[in-house]
Amino acid sequence: ELNLLYGVVIGYLLGSIPGALFIGKVFYHTDIREYGSGNLGGSNAGRVLGKKAAIAVIAIDIGKVVLAVALCSLFDQEASIWAGLAAAFGHCYPLFANFKGGKAVATMFGFLLSTSIFTFRDGLFVIVPLVVFLIVLYLGKMVSLASIFASLTSTLYIAIAQDNLSITIASCLLTVLIIYRHRANIGRIANGTENKVSWL
Ligand code: G3P
């Protein structure tokens, strides 16, 4: 269907906007791909550039997914779900940054937030994984571990609470993408060398 195709293209293009590269280069004259974990995401922006940069990057990365889902939900709800997933994929493999992007954590949050607002009207979409994220972060001090648990929780919650097949499949694929993008982190968690946040 044509709407789905438009949705996926719009999502992919918006998701491809690399918030971390933009904030780093424009405001700090730094390419954060060369520092820290090298990841184009909020955690690495915080690690390399500080808290303000992290907040700005996370806001951009959430905002671009919300925009994609909001735009597409104006004409087709089904398309908006796939637009959100395509945006997360674009974030990981961005057209505008040599296909090397982030790990889809802030974008997952944007996906859950926007689909819960525009389509499913279920605030627990966001709240349940967010609470799990905060608890695991507090206990383990690792953003990566908290992100993996939160993504698994969101899929589990959606599978249990929603009988819509599209959102269940999309969130499942998103979780697979997130875990795959964290494969280096998983190796470091396993051997005890993963970065821990200093502020908790
Ligand atoms: O922001 C993604 C996070 O889960 C891990 O990022 O830079 O610690 O590999 P990083």
Side-chain angles (χ1 to χ4, degrees):
E1 218 207 283
L2 213 55
N3 278 351
L4 283 191
L5 184 67
Y6 289 146
V8 167
V9 171
I10 289 171
Y12 177 70
L13 290 176
L14 280 170
S16 280
I17 297 169
L21 191 60
F22 174 78
I23 294 291
K25 283 205 165 175
V26 172
F27 295 101
Y28 299 84
H29 307 291
T30 304
D31 184 338
I32 72 161
R33 291 174 298 188
E34 291 162 16
Y35 301 95
S37 69
N39 190 55
L40 282 184
S43 305
N44 202 38
R47 190 179 290 131
V48 177
L49 306 171
K51 196 160 70 182
K52 268 193 205 159
I55 292 169
V57 168
I58 291 167
I60 292 175
D61 289 346
I62 291 175
K64 67 190 184 186
V65 188
V66 174
L67 186 61
V69 173
L71 264 178
C72 293
S73 69
L74 290 177
F75 56 91
D76 186 332
Q77 287 202 333
E78 180 76 13
S80 73
I81 295 171
W82 299 106
L85 183 66
F89 185 81
H91 174 78
C92 295
Y93 303 99
L95 184 62
F96 312 125
N98 296 321
F99 304 100
K100 283 193 197 113
K103 299 180 181 173
V105 178
T107 49
M108 170 185 70
F109 186 80
F111 173 81
L112 297 170
L113 184 69
S114 53
T115 51
S116 77
I117 292 174
F118 297 109
T119 306
F120 296 100
R121 313 209 176 273
D122 179 359
L124 293 176
F125 261 41
V126 183
I127 294 166
V128 171
L130 188 61
V131 167
V132 168
F133 179 89
L134 293 173
I135 292 172
V136 178
L137 183 64
Y138 180 74
L139 295 176
K141 323 275 183 237
M142 292 174 275
V143 179
S144 53
L145 187 68
S147 303
I148 290 165
F149 270 85
S151 70
L152 287 167
T153 305
S154 74
T155 289
L156 208 63
Y157 174 77
I158 287 173
I160 293 168
Q162 277 292 334
D163 49 15
N164 179 296
L165 194 61
S166 297
I167 187 74
T168 307
I169 294 173
S171 72
C172 219
L173 292 173
L174 184 50
T175 295
V176 171
L177 176 67
I178 287 176
I179 292 174
Y180 178 72
R181 294 293 293 171
H182 281 83
R183 60 201 187 282
N185 302 80
I186 292 168
R188 288 195 294 270
I189 293 167
N191 65 32
T193 55
E194 176 62 317
N195 287 306
K196 297 203 173 184
V197 293
S198 49
W199 41 268
L200 239 180

